[in-house]
Amino acid sequence: NKNYRLMQDCERILYSAKIAEEADRYKEMTGYMKLFVMDRDTLDIAERNLLSIAYKNVMGELRCSWRVLTHFLQKEEDETKLALTAKYLHRIESEMDKVYQEVINMTNKLKSHSEEDPEACIFYNKMQGDYHRYKSEYTKPNSTELYQCKLCYAAILEHTKRLPPTDPIRLSAALSYSVMFYEQFNDTEAAVQLAKETFDAAIADLDTLSDENYKESTLIMGLLRDNLTLWTSTGDND
């Protein structure tokens, strides 16, 4: 039976992705998840998380490398070393472009089949917003990607207002949006306002937090609190 064989293949691919995650081999994990998504129109929560984890770790490593080399370029004066570093930096940016495009293509496909699943739509929109933001970090200011990122986050924030203030999806969306205000738009006031409103609403509603979401929600709340501390102290020092 063709459908049965296809199901078995999907199960093997998904299990291989899980093994790759356990072994911290995230680049291989993205390969497995890309194969898995090719034959699927929708993903369940666990599968969506695997997709996110795989690509976030690969992109995270590339972003870290890019920051290190960009900082090095600003300090280096030797022209030969500058040229070699710039060449390597371009190579990293090309790899980041590839990851970015894969994520956008896959999430566009999955999003088009998830209109009846609000949580899935929010998840894919947030993922797209994050990767538009990542690309905007190494492209020119006021880039198209940054505009797309703002649209994604704004739409998500509106959708998530229907969720409880302690819901991890709502908290995560607000965290990403506030970081974008601070890092990409240099708008500390908007970043602080959004982070504070989100954090305060979650604290006020803490007694409704489910055991299932407790760990993830409190982790994000901690990140919001840390950002508020950083952003407000930075503002005081100016």
Side-chain angles (χ1 to χ4, degrees):
N1 186 290
K2 186 178 179 180
N3 288 336
Y4 179 71
R5 286 200 304 272
L6 184 61
M7 186 175 70
Q8 281 192 315
D9 287 342
C10 284
E11 287 175 356
R12 289 194 194 98
I13 292 168
L14 194 64
Y15 185 68
S16 296
K18 292 176 181 177
I19 293 173
E21 180 189 10
E22 290 296 324
D24 292 338
R25 296 178 70 86
Y26 296 105
K27 193 167 185 178
E28 290 178 14
M29 189 182 176
T30 62
Y32 290 126
M33 291 310 299
K34 188 179 176 182
L35 274 175
F36 185 75
V37 170
M38 281 176 62
D39 292 318
R40 302 292 294 269
D41 290 331
T42 60
L43 302 180
D44 63 28
I45 295 174
E47 292 161 355
R48 292 198 297 265
N49 285 335
L50 284 172
L51 179 69
S52 176
I53 289 166
Y55 278 93
K56 190 169 186 177
N57 276 280
V58 169
M59 184 60 105
E61 185 177 326
L62 289 169
R63 289 169 72 209
C64 183
S65 299
W66 183 85
R67 288 192 191 107
V68 169
L69 290 186
T70 301
H71 182 67
F72 182 80
L73 274 175
Q74 293 169 352
K75 296 194 303 179
E76 184 57 57
E77 296 179 357
D78 183 278
E79 289 187 8
T80 303
K81 291 179 180 178
L82 278 172
L84 287 169
T85 306
K87 185 177 179 180
Y88 203 86
L89 190 65
H90 179 71
R91 177 180 160 189
I92 290 171
E93 288 176 353
S94 296
E95 290 181 31
M96 292 167 83
D97 278 339
K98 183 181 177 184
V99 173
Y100 164 82
Q101 202 56 60
E102 284 183 9
V103 168
I104 297 302
N105 289 344
M106 281 189 286
T107 48
N108 275 336
K109 173 197 168 185
L110 292 165
K111 193 166 64 169
S112 69
H113 293 280
S114 303
E115 293 175 0
E116 301 302 316
D117 185 347
E119 282 199 11
C121 282
I122 291 169
F123 185 95
Y124 297 132
N125 272 311
K126 183 190 175 298
M127 200 168 172
Q128 287 189 341
D130 287 344
Y131 282 81
H132 285 313
R133 176 164 60 87
Y134 299 155
K135 182 161 186 178
S136 74
E137 290 173 350
Y138 63 93
T139 53
K140 61 184 179 181
N142 302 316
S143 62
T144 303
E145 288 76 22
L146 194 53
Y147 175 71
Q148 291 296 328
C149 169
K150 190 173 183 179
L151 288 180
C152 284
Y153 287 158
I156 295 164
L157 209 62
E158 194 60 36
H159 284 306
T160 57
K161 285 180 180 177
R162 294 176 294 175
L163 300 173
T166 54
D167 188 279
I169 296 174
R170 179 171 174 173
L171 290 169
S172 182
L175 174 66
S176 294
Y177 201 11
S178 63
V179 168
M180 186 205 71
F181 275 126
Y182 184 78
E183 293 186 351
Q184 272 72 40
F185 287 102
N186 297 314
D187 191 343
T188 304
E189 185 178 349
V192 168
Q193 182 180 345
L194 177 56
K196 188 175 188 309
E197 286 177 357
T198 304
F199 182 79
D200 289 348
I203 287 290
D205 208 41
L206 205 57
D207 57 339
T208 66
L209 182 57
S210 67
D211 293 339
E212 181 185 2
N213 291 332
Y214 183 84
K215 184 177 180 181
E216 187 177 2
S217 293
T218 52
L219 174 64
I220 300 169
M221 288 171 67
L223 294 173
L224 284 165
R225 182 196 58 219
D226 292 345
N227 284 347
L228 279 169
T229 302
L230 174 66
W231 297 341
T232 52
S233 65
T234 301
D236 292 341
N237 291 335
D238 290 342

